[in-house]
Amino acid sequence: MPSTPPAQPGQSFAEIDTPALVLDLDAFERNLVAMAAFSEARGIRLRPHAKTHKSPEIALRQIAHGAVGQCCQKVSEAEILVAGGVGDVLVTNEIASPAKLDRLAILARTARIGLCVDHPDGVRDAAEAAARHDVVLDVMVEIDVGGRRCGVAPGEAAVRVAEAVARSNTLRFAGLQAYHGAAQHMRSIDERSEAIERAGLAARNTAERLAQAGLECPIISGAGTGTYELETQSGIWNELQCGSYIFMDADYARNRQADGSPFRSFEHALFILAGVMSKPVPDRAILDAGHKSAAVDSGMPVPFQREGAIYTKPSDEHGILTGDPIALPHRGDRVLLIPGHCDPTVNLHDWYVCVRGLHGPDAHVEAVWPVAARGAVT
């Protein structure tokens, strides 16, 4: 059962209860427009990843800006997206459970549904589920382009999996899933460029071998917020799966551009609003946002526009700000924190508190959206 929202539309920013997941609507909308304009100008499809936001509200706004549909990682996420009005969903993951495949096939009665496979057994299982429910599923053959996670080896092994898909009456070969997750957070542009160049060679070689086998490869999909420009420049990928661009987090901000400057293609739009519950000494302020409010797998949250303040040593319900006493807030003050990793941070909250004019004197709550797919992990 969802908790009571920490704010209501029409309230002032000062009335938001803490801790809260705050969305800066102005920055969020600029990020939406920026990525949509990028993909449109270059004639490349955009299929944003909903594992970032877990929200049909956000998904439909991305589609309104030109996205062809959504990606997600879990069948339960796909169910919530389709229930919320999204008509085209690709599950960019392997599904080995017959029960999950049945759920996915049922979704295909009302939406275009795709999934990834990397083994002939996965092809067989998906085909049987589609046959049980009299539907056709789109299938992307996932190749390992360097992430060393899921994915069949590029080249002939991938062709054999694709041929198995093509032989099925209940599956449609939709192309290649060629996502290099590890490359997204390589800090230097040289590291990212080298990784994506290798990934591109693997994807191109596989597509050429598919053509030699008489199989058309309509889509090569992948890319993320950290590398999307590189995949686009390669001319190999024709669909982008970026997710974090709508929010930007502290970890992506650590990436560097070609001139060594911070990655600034998108703005920070997602924050944890925390309250100062105690300040026992001048150089330590205690916040009401700890592990249950912010994921720290990619580093600690970063206090926004509070140079000299450092978030450290979180426990379940507490976070500690240390540093220059002049930079630290006082008891009763509120602090905006930039999440270290936006995706799992979102999954800790029930609500987005959507604020208009966040950094101005008239900041107010314009909307409250549910994190509808929070906890959707099956």
Side-chain angles (χ1 to χ4, degrees):
M1 178 177 176
S3 60
T4 300
Q8 294 295 331
Q11 289 185 317
S12 69
F13 176 72
E15 293 176 287
I16 301 172
D17 203 359
T18 60
L21 190 66
V22 168
L23 183 61
D24 178 348
L25 284 174
D26 302 289
F28 163 74
E29 289 166 359
R30 288 191 292 268
N31 290 343
L32 278 182
V33 169
M35 182 61 84
F38 176 91
S39 59
E40 182 180 12
R42 291 156 181 81
I44 192 165
R45 290 159 55 99
L46 177 61
R47 182 183 289 277
H49 221 304
K51 74 180 179 67
T52 296
H53 56 71
K54 303 175 83 70
S55 165
E57 291 276 1
I58 292 176
L60 293 175
R61 283 163 173 79
Q62 291 174 316
I63 292 167
H65 281 79
V68 299
Q70 293 280 291
C71 303
C72 63
Q73 287 292 84
K74 299 289 186 173
V75 173
S76 51
E77 290 177 330
E79 289 168 333
I80 290 166
L81 289 169
V82 171
V86 177
D88 189 329
V89 180
L90 171 65
V91 179
T92 55
N93 211 350
E94 311 301 317
I95 303 173
S97 159
K100 287 185 175 69
L101 288 166
D102 280 336
R103 288 162 54 196
L104 205 61
I106 290 169
L107 283 184
R109 295 172 178 168
T110 55
R112 182 162 188 162
I113 299 296
L115 73 157
C116 293
V117 299
D118 64 359
H119 192 277
D121 288 353
V123 178
R124 178 201 63 212
D125 293 346
E128 289 175 355
R132 284 194 294 272
H133 298 279
D134 195 25
V135 298
V136 175
L137 294 170
D138 285 349
V139 172
M140 305 284 284
V141 173
E142 182 171 9
I143 58 174
D144 180 3
V145 294
R148 299 186 65 81
R149 196 164 60 183
C150 297
V152 64
E156 288 302 322
V159 172
R160 289 195 293 272
V161 176
E163 288 175 332
V165 175
R167 287 194 295 269
S168 171
N169 294 324
T170 58
L171 305 178
R172 181 187 302 112
F173 176 58
L176 297 176
Q177 169 76 2
Y179 175 68
H180 196 326
Q184 304 310 310
H185 304 281
M186 294 176 179
R187 296 306 175 209
S188 76
I189 186 64
D190 290 341
E191 290 177 296
R192 297 195 301 276
S193 296
E194 183 179 342
I196 297 308
E197 183 178 3
R198 290 196 301 267
L201 290 173
R204 187 192 297 277
N205 173 263
T206 304
E208 290 172 350
R209 298 202 177 207
L210 286 167
Q212 293 167 5
L215 290 175
E216 181 185 1
C217 181
I219 300 293
I220 299 180
S221 192
T225 299
T227 64
Y228 71 98
E229 293 169 304
L230 299 171
E231 281 93 346
T232 301
Q233 291 164 7
S234 75
I236 298 168
W237 285 263
N238 56 4
E239 184 174 272
L240 306 177
Q241 297 180 359
C242 312
S244 297
Y245 75 94
I246 54 167
F247 294 153
M248 280 300 292
D249 55 32
D251 190 69
Y252 267 119
R254 297 184 186 105
N255 282 6
R256 290 295 180 262
Q257 302 183 117
D259 62 0
S261 63
F263 180 64
R264 290 198 179 97
S265 299
F266 305 100
E267 303 174 46
H268 291 298
L270 189 74
F271 302 91
I272 303 131
L273 179 63
V276 180
M277 52 199 293
S278 174
K279 192 176 185 184
V281 293
D283 63 351
R284 187 170 74 245
I286 313 304
L287 306 182
D288 59 3
H291 285 302
K292 293 182 181 178
S293 298
V296 299
D297 58 295
S298 296
M300 297 294 169
V302 175
F304 180 70
Q305 294 184 345
R306 283 189 177 270
E307 189 173 351
I310 300 170
Y311 181 97
T312 184
K313 296 181 179 177
S315 53
D316 284 356
E317 308 292 357
H318 301 80
I320 300 176
L321 285 187
T322 61
D324 183 355
I326 297 175
L328 297 185
H330 299 286
R331 182 181 182 278
D333 288 349
R334 294 130 72 76
V335 177
L336 288 171
L337 301 171
I338 304 166
H341 189 180
C342 54
D343 301 20
T345 295
V346 167
N347 197 48
L348 295 171
H349 294 264
D350 287 325
W351 305 97
Y352 290 104
V353 179
C354 306
V355 176
R356 184 68 66 187
L358 176 60
H359 306 300
D362 299 319
H364 62 278
V365 179
E366 184 170 298
V368 178
W369 299 336
V371 183
R374 180 189 181 188
V377 295
T378 61

